[in-house]
Amino acid sequence: MINVKRFFRLILLLIVAVMPVSTAGALPGLDFNFRIWGGDLAIRWPVPAGDPHGTTKILTFVGGGSEDAWFFTEQQDSTLINLAGGIGIQRDFAFGGQELAVTGIMRSRWENLTPDGQKLIENTLQAAAGIRSAAAAPLFIGPFPWSYDLEATAAWSPSLGLADEANYLRLNSNLQIRLQLLNSRKLRVYLASRTGIDFLTGPSIPVYALSSVGELNAPLFLPVPAPGGIIRGIETGRYRGTIKIYSNNELQLRVHTGMDFDPILRIFADSGLSGNPSAASSADFTRQMSLGLSAALDIMGFIELGYFA
């Protein structure tokens, strides 16, 4: 597969390099996601400043297309067109060996759904904020370096008095840990884990929210499909609930060939739990688990060709 994030970052670097104006300072950060009939784009624009304690970025989002993972309905045999956009700000701090990022965004999504010849227009407005903490330099467990990334976010989609609106609150927290077991000239071995919990409450929760988790600092600053999609081997969008607990764990072996063609082997074990905590029976909760491996070839850090089983 193509590492789209790295590829478009390279394209952006080339565009800025040939611009006639001076571009002193950091380049904009870019994330892009293709869909069959559309896509999403997020750009982080650095704000020039002389603050030695941190940096500020302006966030912009735009997206749209035709898809079947819509927010508000499970209506089949329908034509759906959606548009989304937003703006935000992110402030990064560094102190005491720690990195702290505070993010606030406003975004909206508009849907035009045509089931059985009836035209429906839906809209949602969302305000989200998050805080993220990570170690600025590797920590050590004995001789082994490790790092962590801890995030907590909240997103609110209020009702504005219109019909068929989303009206809910989402809370998410997740922790990522990466431990380096071996760092030789030819081989590097890592043990990585991500564990998170996502909670939804409100009188009108859209289908898309029930089948996703809201990690604010994920690429594109968009909800991530889950449990299906985040639990490897389970179809994207499968399973849903107002509460979701998930865990990704993998052993990664990366061989350095010295020719920008690095084979990668991942052995993973993922698990998840989703359902409705207000339900009277535990039968309304589903458990998911997957075991497998993937092999890939990292080409120059921009393209990753692989096989997943």
Side-chain angles (χ1 to χ4, degrees):
M1 66 188 77
I2 296 176
N3 190 319
V4 177
K5 179 178 178 179
R6 293 179 180 176
F7 176 75
F8 276 92
R9 189 171 289 163
L10 174 64
I11 297 298
L12 183 63
L13 175 63
L14 294 175
I15 292 174
V16 173
V18 299
M19 291 176 64
V21 296
S22 173
T23 56
L27 293 173
L30 179 68
D31 283 295
F32 192 94
N33 178 49
F34 287 108
R35 297 198 298 270
I36 294 178
W37 299 109
D40 299 287
L41 174 68
I43 304 178
R44 299 177 296 275
W45 305 93
V47 176
D51 187 352
H53 302 291
T55 59
T56 302
K57 302 182 185 74
I58 300 298
L59 312 175
T60 54
F61 319 94
V62 65
S66 178
E67 63 183 66
D68 57 5
W70 46 83
F71 249 66
F72 296 96
T73 181
E74 295 178 276
Q75 179 71 41
Q76 301 298 315
D77 301 322
S78 304
T79 300
L80 170 74
I81 297 176
N82 70 80
L83 297 173
I87 191 169
I89 187 169
Q90 186 175 67
R91 176 68 175 171
D92 298 324
F93 302 90
F95 61 92
Q98 303 294 311
E99 293 179 350
L100 186 68
V102 180
T103 305
I105 64 175
M106 291 286 293
R107 57 192 173 200
S108 181
R109 177 182 170 109
W110 173 88
E111 292 188 356
N112 184 344
L113 177 66
T114 310
D116 303 325
Q118 290 186 334
K119 185 175 181 180
L120 302 175
I121 297 178
E122 309 284 11
N123 183 70
T124 181
L125 180 69
Q126 186 176 81
I131 186 168
R132 172 180 166 267
S133 176
L139 306 171
F140 285 88
I141 299 178
F144 304 114
W146 69 284
S147 60
Y148 75 91
D149 196 312
L150 176 63
E151 179 190 78
T153 67
W156 178 44
S157 290
S159 173
L160 301 179
L162 304 176
D164 300 321
E165 280 191 302
N167 186 7
Y168 68 99
L169 173 69
R170 161 174 262 157
L171 303 175
N172 178 278
S173 181
N174 63 89
L175 172 65
Q176 301 179 45
I177 296 176
R178 184 179 176 92
L179 175 67
Q180 188 174 56
L181 300 177
L182 179 64
N183 183 18
S184 68
R185 190 171 63 89
K186 290 292 186 181
L187 178 65
R188 293 181 182 177
V189 180
Y190 301 92
L191 188 63
S193 177
R194 172 175 66 175
T195 301
I197 182 170
D198 194 88
F199 176 71
L200 295 162
T201 183
S204 180
I205 305 175
V207 171
Y208 183 72
L210 290 169
S211 57
S212 65
V213 297
E215 296 186 358
L216 188 60
N217 283 296
L220 299 167
F221 298 87
L222 291 173
V224 179
I230 208 171
I231 306 299
R232 285 167 283 194
I234 297 179
E235 182 182 1
T236 299
R238 189 176 182 187
Y239 302 115
R240 66 188 59 166
T242 55
I243 187 169
K244 291 173 281 290
I245 302 172
Y246 52 97
S247 179
N248 304 113
N249 307 277
E250 72 175 37
L251 178 68
Q252 181 185 131
L253 293 84
R254 177 183 289 264
V255 178
H256 287 268
T257 63
M259 298 182 295
D260 288 328
F261 293 88
D262 294 345
I264 303 172
L265 176 67
R266 296 182 177 95
I267 304 171
F268 63 85
D270 296 347
S271 61
L273 175 70
S274 59
N276 302 293
S278 59
S281 172
S282 61
D284 290 321
F285 282 82
T286 59
R287 296 173 177 84
Q288 306 87 34
M289 178 173 288
S290 66
L291 301 171
L293 60 88
S294 66
L297 183 64
D298 189 344
I299 303 175
M300 299 178 66
F302 292 100
I303 300 176
E304 189 172 299
L305 304 175
Y307 174 77
F308 169 83

